[in-house]
Amino acid sequence: MTNSSLLGVEGEPGRFKASVLLKPRYIDPAKCTGCGECAKHCPISMPDTYNEGLARRKAIYVQYAQAVPLVYRIDTEACIGCGLCERVCLAKAVTYADAPREISLDVGSVILAPGYEVFNPVELFDYSYGRHPNVVTSLQFERILSASGPYRGHLLRPSDRGHPKKIAFLQCVGSRDEREHAGYCSSVCCMYAIKEAMIAKEHSADPLDCAVFYMDIRAHGKDFDKYFLRAQEKAGVRFVRSKVFKVEPKNGTGELSVKYLDASGAPAGEDFDMVVLSHGFRASKQAVDLANRLRIPVNEYGFVQPGTLRPVDTARGGIFACGAFSGPKDIPESVTEASAAAADAARLLAPARGTMITKVEYPPERDVRAEALRIGVFVCHCGINIANTVDVTAVREYAKTLPGVAFTEQNLYTCSQDAQRHIKEMIIEHSLNRVIVASCSPRTHEPIFRETVRQAGLNPYLFEMANIRDQCSWVHQTQPKLATKKAKRLVRMAVAKASMLESLAGASVGVTASALVVGGGIAGMTAALNLVEQGFPVFLIEKEAELGGNARLLSRTHDGADVREFLVGLIDRVKNHPKITVITQATVVEVAGFRGNFKVGYMVVPRKDILRLECGAVVVASGASELKPAEYLYGQHPRVITQLDLEQRLPEPGGELPGAPLDVPALETMKSVVMIQCVGSRQQGRMYCSRVCCTQAIKNALRLKELNPAMDIYVLYRDIRTYGFAELLYRRARAQGITFLRYDETQKPVVEAVGDGLLVKTFDHVLGEPLHIKTDAVVLAAAIVAPEESNLDLSHALHVPLNEDHFFLEAHVKLRPVDAATDGVYICGMAHSPKTVDESIKQANAAASRAATLLSKTQIQLDPVISEVIDANCDGCAYCVDPCPYKAITLVEYMQAGSVKKTVEIDDSKCQGCGTCQATCPKKGVVVKHFKLDQLSAMVLAALAEE
Amino acid sequence: MTEESAFEPLIIAFCCNWCSYAGADLAGTARIQYPANVVIVRVMCSGMVHSNMIIEALTKGADGVLVAG
Amino acid sequence: MNGNADKSKMPIGSVLVVGGGITGIQSSLDLADGGYLVYLLDELPSIGGIMAQLDKTFPTNDCAM
């Protein structure tokens, strides 16, 4: 339901009534084919919001060429009602009489993901945005870089379409700025600015200078620091620590002068051809209105801000919030939260799983093997999209002459409902056993037509398409004769392939509806509980004797939630759930099988034998731990401790000191504490940010200030990375007089013992001179490190790779952040990378959600387009075994007529049908079904034949 | 340029469904014009194109073969 | 548990997802794959959200589309 608004939700969790307003589109989506003829004739030209106003569009439009659904809409605010579009639309899809409609939906749960807006920097007068064309926002710059953008991917500056030589990127535009009512950090701008700078340099034919003006670089995500380093060292992007106060146009040149204060606070300036403003997140008005309509409170900035321990909840049960609606975040975090919200909804509705969906019934499949070829060819006009360039009638007449063709027809729109009904009738009436549609791209339409032939009793793989629109009529518009000739060629190729098509069916395998969770920390236990409450039994394997992991060392989250209490509750629920089997002091030693059917071997201390279990999915939540530092006198001086050491000694507000050993003076009597950040992180051999330490240090510093307001606290840092709303904590810390001093990696602080106390020597960049601080204690923000040895073992057992820092690698860093490359294996918590408690909870629920999509199926259908061994041809040379990227091929031997026959075997559950084996085989011993060498060869020969 | 000139090479392009074939579709959506003497054979991965396929195409009359993926 | 399951207390096996950006799409896919009926709603005429405006995503510089 696009073009719609949610008006309100009433009822209770599990049983809501939602009222939805369907806004008029003035186009019938069932009829519109997205051909674009209407927009060609529309006389109205207006700024294109998709291209951020850098290009123009018509009043009848689609947002962009790849839009889903590809259905036009009339912008009635701009439309003058001339009626041209209605007249030119052959599909009769224009419906001026369209009116808004309200509908009511019965739903068990609601997930809110309305997204965000970007800050409009026109309010910042000093940056010249909106007054000088060469000052653009980062989103506009994305469009400039894009091949589908206003300059077709050429890097041009807007004022004169010249090639820029120097571009400045200004960070924190409308972020970390209370004057613009945004005290928070937008979290993603540092990384996208680095990306844009690198891509701009790649796009530019001439040498391009890119400079990023920043306060702190916040590369706190997984492997982000490596990317930051690449930008500096390989791509040569300049990073200027500064505060920009003005962007001034230089008269007549198109150039802009950037005025700033440098790291020492001295004024400086530099000229650029273009300035890109890294504008931050804003709560969108639409989202705030939505929250108000649903009676869901938002924070002072308009974002929903759930508690850290229930990170996707809203104030209303059964209604969940995710994505940028609950604060600035990047793509993988949004995707993770999306799955986490789905997990919570699925848990709530578990008893009703499958009750609202119906299974499609198909007629029995016809066996066509013994039948003579009877090919049906349907040639599409696609309105005028094909017919204006290609002589459709000629193509159809030609198709009639091709061998095996029994029936031909031409349709105005082959994909329309009535045309498909007609195709089904023709298949039955003319006993067709192969079907070809010559129209658009199989990438978009093959599934639709496969469904059609299936409904007519044919195997869906007896269908073939000829792409005579996207790859013919649209790209040869000025050459109708040649386009017609090519269309005939494409149809001839399709007929050649269709003649050789075979019915295919993927194997169907059962699913063991239980999961194994490796690791009993917060992440593992959260995943286990969600899965079990969704109805799937869980085995939980923990290598320690106790559940709880790192959370046992934490007291409170930065928003004050009690971690200890939460943990006790969690352990209790896990231990007492009848369908969770907790196995402590155990390690996984081997894993066989595949998604839906894993056979796991594990060992329990002190036994020496391997025990076994079976499960359908594996969730890796094996955690990480705090590094024991080897510098700054840690372990040598009792007053040098880590943040976790400190955290365990912090009393509850108003409560008593916990009984930790007091090898430092009582906390409330200390006069001074120095905190050192990035101890073991962001350095050679461990080039990553441990993400949690900045916020953790500031949280603990504020707690110390609470205990003793007179205490002097210094935080020695490299970049403060309090992303999102944690920035507010940083602001509070500075307001309370906590001193933040930056140090360079090349000039680390030095800690010396002086009497009972300590002396910290560092360098003050603002004063430009060395600084010595006498202190009672030094607290180190030690890196979070992955357990190298045990992760390597688990990685081998599961065939899931680790990154170079020994954290588990996800299948896709943006779009599949909790899926492992091995199907059926999911990753969450610190096994994936350092993260906070709330982030671990979200990721754990996300992993549970992904696992549930697999476990909820009784059978999984494997794709039939995979490799197949022709045993008679295979001589067991094994050339194909190593190149297989999915490790799906094994060499086997068996006895045949008294001698050993070598051959290979394909694991159907692993094979993805890439065909690398087919290409390496010298004997045609292994082929990809539906893309066999003979089938491809027939197409090639048909392509080379003449009419 | 006349539509049917003297010699026009015929080029067979093997395109991967997920990238170059998709790119060719996008060229259509953007109405980027190119000569009509290239025909695309869709494969699910350019990795499945056997070297013999390329040789066969060339020996049976193709003037050029493009494998894109 | 009551042997006569009270029908009026049985939850409804469908979910309304508001927002057709990358977040809403992922929630919808998970739930639909898990056996729930999903209504995906967006204010704009097509789904995709802001990610559809991006050129490429780091670190692989994959196309965002």
Side-chain angles (χ1 to χ4, degrees):
Chain A
M1 297 183 288
T2 48
N3 218 27
S4 312
S5 304
L6 175 59
L7 297 176
V9 176
E10 297 307 326
E12 56 185 81
R15 302 186 68 84
F16 288 117
K17 262 200 189 315
S19 42
V20 171
L21 179 71
L22 305 175
K23 292 180 281 184
R25 188 175 200 120
Y26 307 105
I27 301 287
D28 182 348
K31 289 184 181 162
C32 177
T33 63
C35 73
E37 198 57 24
C38 51
K40 217 154 64 186
H41 288 84
C42 177
I44 306 295
S45 169
M46 57 190 293
D48 178 3
T49 44
Y50 173 72
N51 273 314
E52 294 291 313
L54 292 169
R56 301 187 75 78
R57 66 157 163 84
K58 298 299 183 71
I60 186 164
Y61 70 106
V62 281
Q63 279 177 281
Y64 49 97
Q66 302 86 354
V68 176
L70 191 62
V71 172
Y72 277 73
R73 172 181 181 265
I74 298 176
D75 187 338
T76 42
E77 280 177 26
C79 173
I80 53 167
C82 68
L84 269 175
C85 52
E86 189 176 20
R87 252 172 284 151
V88 299
C89 180
L90 291 173
K92 301 263 170 274
V94 179
T95 52
Y96 287 120
D98 224 354
R101 268 192 313 134
E102 209 180 304
I103 57 166
S104 170
L105 301 171
D106 291 322
V107 292
S109 173
V110 179
I111 293 177
L112 303 176
Y116 65 101
E117 263 171 23
V118 282
F119 172 65
N120 183 352
V122 83
E123 293 167 31
L124 292 171
F125 190 83
D126 288 343
Y127 285 171
S128 297
Y129 179 75
R131 288 186 300 284
H132 195 290
N134 293 341
V135 182
V136 299
T137 65
S138 48
L139 208 48
Q140 287 177 322
F141 197 64
E142 289 279 346
R143 298 312 306 149
I144 290 178
L145 291 174
S146 172
S148 68
Y151 310 145
R152 299 195 158 214
H154 295 287
L155 176 56
L156 305 175
R157 66 175 192 177
S159 68
D160 56 0
R161 306 286 197 272
H163 294 276
K165 305 264 186 313
K166 282 182 77 179
I167 303 179
F169 293 82
L170 270 45
Q171 298 309 103
C172 299
V173 175
S175 302
R176 300 179 68 185
D177 187 350
E178 263 321 333
R179 287 170 311 168
E180 295 305 323
H181 193 57
Y184 53 85
C185 158
S186 291
S187 297
V188 304
C189 326
C190 284
M191 294 315 290
Y192 74 58
I194 296 174
K195 174 201 74 174
E196 287 177 1
M198 281 172 64
I199 292 177
K201 283 178 84 92
E202 268 174 31
H203 271 234
S204 182
D206 309 319
L208 173 71
D209 177 42
C210 288
V212 179
F213 291 83
Y214 73 103
M215 296 196 280
D216 297 282
I217 286 294
R218 295 198 164 159
H220 50 271
K222 186 180 191 177
D223 288 336
F224 287 8
D225 261 319
K226 295 187 186 82
Y227 193 72
F228 175 36
L229 198 70
R230 215 165 90 204
Q232 295 169 78
E233 293 183 350
K234 297 259 166 61
V237 176
R238 287 191 293 134
F239 289 85
V240 185
R241 197 183 287 271
S242 56
K243 272 195 170 160
V244 174
F245 56 87
K246 209 170 178 60
V247 176
E248 227 168 41
K250 298 184 71 185
N251 276 346
T253 59
E255 282 180 36
L256 296 147
S257 182
V258 174
K259 312 272 190 198
Y260 62 97
L261 300 177
D262 68 14
S264 68
E270 191 178 344
D271 296 343
F272 291 91
D273 296 318
M274 261 181 98
V275 170
V276 180
L277 304 178
S278 297
H279 52 167
F281 280 46
R282 284 293 180 276
S284 73
K285 190 180 174 305
Q286 267 176 5
V288 174
D289 289 348
L290 176 69
N292 290 339
R293 286 200 298 273
L294 301 187
R295 303 186 305 277
I296 290 170
V298 292
N299 72 9
E300 55 176 311
Y301 304 112
F303 293 99
V304 172
Q305 208 180 335
T308 37
L309 301 178
R310 299 285 306 156
V312 297
D313 280 10
T314 67
R316 287 180 70 183
I319 303 184
F320 305 101
C322 54
F325 188 36
S326 54
K329 54 184 66 81
D330 65 7
I331 295 167
E333 282 178 82
S334 297
V335 172
T336 302
E337 272 187 22
S339 287
D344 274 339
R347 165 179 18 211
L348 177 68
L349 308 180
R353 188 191 295 279
T355 54
M356 296 280 285
I357 50 170
T358 47
K359 209 167 172 255
V360 189
E361 295 290 336
Y362 295 101
E365 208 174 279
R366 218 168 88 202
D367 184 354
V368 302
R369 278 173 299 183
E371 296 178 12
L373 271 184
R374 290 188 62 79
I375 304 173
V377 181
F378 298 83
V379 188
C380 187
H381 287 245
C382 194
I384 56 169
N385 279 290
I386 295 170
N388 250 14
T389 306
V390 169
D391 183 344
V392 172
T393 309
V395 173
R396 178 194 170 190
E397 289 300 326
Y398 175 67
K400 271 187 196 167
T401 67
L402 293 169
V405 174
F407 179 80
T408 64
E409 196 170 67
Q410 58 204 74
N411 318 84
L412 185 59
Y413 289 110
T414 315
C415 60
S416 65
Q417 298 285 330
D418 53 327
Q420 290 191 66
R421 203 174 319 118
H422 184 69
I423 291 176
K424 273 183 268 179
E425 289 163 8
M426 292 305 105
I427 290 172
I428 294 162
E429 193 180 317
H430 296 273
S431 307
L432 303 178
N433 52 27
R434 306 287 188 283
V435 176
I436 291 168
V437 170
S439 60
C440 49
S441 176
R443 298 184 69 256
T444 52
H445 281 67
E446 190 174 64
I448 298 169
F449 293 118
R450 275 188 178 163
E451 178 71 22
T452 308
V453 303
R454 206 171 162 197
Q455 284 172 12
L458 281 184
N459 182 285
Y461 292 89
L462 298 175
F463 172 78
E464 182 68 18
M465 275 183 97
N467 189 342
I468 61 168
R469 187 185 74 175
D470 304 42
Q471 297 180 4
C472 187
S473 70
W474 273 355
V475 291
H476 312 308
Q477 283 171 325
T478 56
Q479 301 176 304
K481 277 188 194 151
L482 289 176
T484 303
K485 192 175 171 192
K486 177 168 169 181
K488 288 179 185 172
R489 198 182 289 277
L490 290 169
V491 168
R492 188 163 69 230
M493 289 162 69
V495 169
K497 170 110 183 244
S499 310
M500 304 184 76
L501 289 177
E502 298 161 325
S503 296
L504 298 177
S508 179
V509 290
V511 172
T512 309
S514 62
L516 165 67
V517 175
V518 184
I522 280 194
M525 288 192 290
T526 301
L529 275 172
N530 184 276
L531 281 167
V532 85
E533 286 170 9
Q534 286 205 49
F536 309 110
V538 173
F539 301 96
L540 179 66
I541 287 189
E542 164 60 43
K543 67 171 185 287
E544 306 284 334
E546 291 289 325
L547 295 175
N550 288 306
R552 284 179 298 171
L553 308 176
L554 298 174
S555 57
R556 283 182 181 268
T557 62
H558 68 79
D559 68 348
D562 188 334
V563 179
R564 289 188 189 124
E565 188 192 327
F566 172 75
L567 188 65
V568 169
L570 202 59
I571 293 175
D572 194 53
R573 280 163 68 202
V574 167
K575 279 189 174 161
N576 293 320
H577 201 291
K579 287 194 170 163
I580 299 181
T581 311
V582 178
I583 310 163
T584 52
Q585 290 190 286
T587 37
V588 170
V589 290
E590 56 184 43
V591 179
F594 53 94
R595 71 180 164 130
N597 296 279
F598 290 107
K599 292 174 177 51
V600 178
Y602 63 98
M603 288 173 83
V604 180
V605 178
R607 291 176 59 164
K608 296 270 183 276
D609 56 331
I610 294 178
L611 303 167
R612 299 191 183 276
L613 63 87
E614 289 187 12
C615 61
V618 179
V619 176
V620 177
S622 52
S625 55
E626 190 187 53
L627 172 79
K628 293 288 161 231
E631 52 189 336
Y632 302 123
L633 301 183
Y634 184 81
Q636 299 167 40
H637 196 289
R639 294 185 175 202
V640 179
I641 58 174
T642 66
Q643 288 287 355
L644 269 187
D645 295 333
L646 172 65
E647 184 137 351
Q648 288 168 81
R649 282 161 203 175
L650 287 171
E652 284 298 302
E656 290 186 5
L657 283 164
L662 288 172
D663 45 12
V664 286
L667 291 170
E668 61 271 33
T669 67
M670 286 198 294
K671 289 192 184 63
S672 153
V673 169
V674 173
M675 296 184 170
I676 302 177
Q677 301 302 106
C678 294
V679 178
S681 305
R682 300 182 64 196
Q683 61 186 35
Q684 216 51 52
R686 219 179 280 117
M687 193 47 75
Y688 62 89
C689 168
S690 294
R691 189 176 175 104
V692 305
C693 340
C694 282
T695 305
Q696 187 185 30
I698 292 171
K699 171 190 80 175
N700 290 345
L702 284 168
R703 293 281 300 280
L704 288 173
K705 270 284 190 199
E706 234 172 77
L707 286 172
N708 177 7
M711 192 186 293
D712 284 326
I713 302 174
Y714 301 86
V715 180
L716 310 188
Y717 71 98
R718 288 171 55 196
D719 290 281
I720 288 291
R721 293 183 168 174
T722 42
Y723 53 94
F725 296 122
E727 178 70 12
L728 305 176
L729 217 58
Y730 178 33
R731 178 175 295 274
R732 204 160 87 213
R734 281 177 309 177
Q736 294 195 10
I738 294 168
T739 309
F740 289 84
L741 291 166
R742 193 173 59 79
Y743 74 87
D744 275 337
E745 191 203 356
T746 50
Q747 202 176 5
K748 282 184 172 181
V750 176
V751 179
E752 290 172 3
V754 177
D756 283 348
L758 294 154
L759 183 71
V760 180
K761 296 178 175 174
T762 186
F763 188 84
D764 188 320
H765 287 271
V766 177
L767 299 175
E769 52 189 56
L771 185 71
H772 292 189
I773 309 165
K774 260 187 75 181
T775 183
D776 295 319
V778 168
V779 186
L780 305 178
I784 291 174
V785 290
E788 180 176 341
E789 204 174 315
S790 59
N791 275 7
L792 278 172
D793 290 346
L794 196 54
S795 154
H796 287 147
L798 290 167
H799 305 291
V800 175
L802 305 178
N803 73 0
E804 60 184 281
D805 307 309
H806 308 293
F807 291 101
F808 283 90
L809 208 57
E810 59 273 43
H812 189 287
V813 292
K814 284 278 180 287
L815 302 178
R816 295 176 64 197
V818 301
D819 298 8
T822 304
D823 284 344
V825 180
Y826 309 90
I827 310 162
C828 63
M830 297 219 286
H832 165 272
S833 68
K835 54 181 58 71
T836 59
V837 170
D838 56 322
E839 288 162 352
S840 283
I841 293 172
K842 284 187 277 198
Q843 223 182 8
N845 280 322
S849 177
R850 303 291 304 140
T853 61
L854 170 61
L855 298 178
S856 60
K857 293 179 175 58
T858 46
Q859 298 270 312
I860 38 180
Q861 207 73 32
L862 304 179
D863 187 349
V865 182
I866 56 171
S867 296
E868 172 183 54
V869 180
I870 315 291
D871 189 32
N873 294 352
C874 177
D875 64 1
C877 73
Y879 279 3
C880 56
V881 174
D882 282 340
C884 173
Y886 304 99
K887 305 275 167 266
I889 308 178
T890 37
L891 181 65
V892 293
E893 292 177 358
Y894 66 93
M895 294 305 289
Q896 186 186 46
S899 62
V900 174
K901 166 77 169 73
K902 283 187 182 176
T903 191
V904 290
E905 256 178 21
I906 307 287
D907 184 338
D908 286 5
S909 62
K910 287 185 183 163
C911 177
Q912 303 287 314
C914 74
T916 306
C917 50
Q918 167 165 297
T920 52
C921 181
K923 298 262 165 61
K924 292 190 181 178
V926 58
V927 293
V928 181
K929 287 180 270 186
H930 210 61
F931 290 92
K932 293 181 179 178
L933 286 179
D934 301 349
Q935 291 169 330
L936 293 178
S937 167
M939 284 184 88
V940 170
L941 293 181
L944 297 171
E946 288 301 322
E947 276 172 42
Chain B
M1 202 175 83
T2 58
E3 248 195 57
E4 284 163 277
S5 52
F7 170 71
E8 279 295 331
L10 180 60
I11 294 160
I12 306 282
F14 293 98
C15 289
C16 164
N17 181 62
W18 310 104
C19 53
S20 46
Y21 192 90
D25 283 349
L26 208 53
T29 318
R31 309 294 196 273
I32 295 169
Q33 304 297 302
Y34 57 84
N37 41 16
V38 52
V39 283
I40 293 175
V41 177
R42 183 169 74 121
V43 289
M44 295 315 276
C45 170
S46 53
M48 68 167 57
V49 181
H50 200 290
S51 45
N52 286 354
M53 292 284 307
I54 299 167
I55 295 164
E56 186 187 22
L58 292 171
T59 50
K60 298 273 171 64
D63 299 294
V65 174
L66 171 71
V67 182
Chain C
M1 268 299 209
N2 194 335
N4 268 332
D6 186 354
K7 264 247 159 122
S8 69
K9 286 277 182 260
M10 175 81 172
I12 301 163
S14 62
V15 180
L16 171 63
V17 177
V18 182
I22 181 70
T23 310
I25 291 174
Q26 183 65 49
S27 292
S28 303
L29 287 174
D30 277 14
L31 286 164
D33 279 344
Y36 299 95
L37 176 67
V38 177
Y39 302 101
L40 176 61
L41 180 149
D42 199 295
E43 293 270 351
L44 291 175
S46 47
I47 60 172
I50 292 182
M51 191 171 171
Q53 283 180 285
L54 303 184
D55 173 37
K56 297 187 178 72
T57 61
F58 72 91
T60 49
N61 292 353
D62 280 351
C63 171
M65 196 53 81

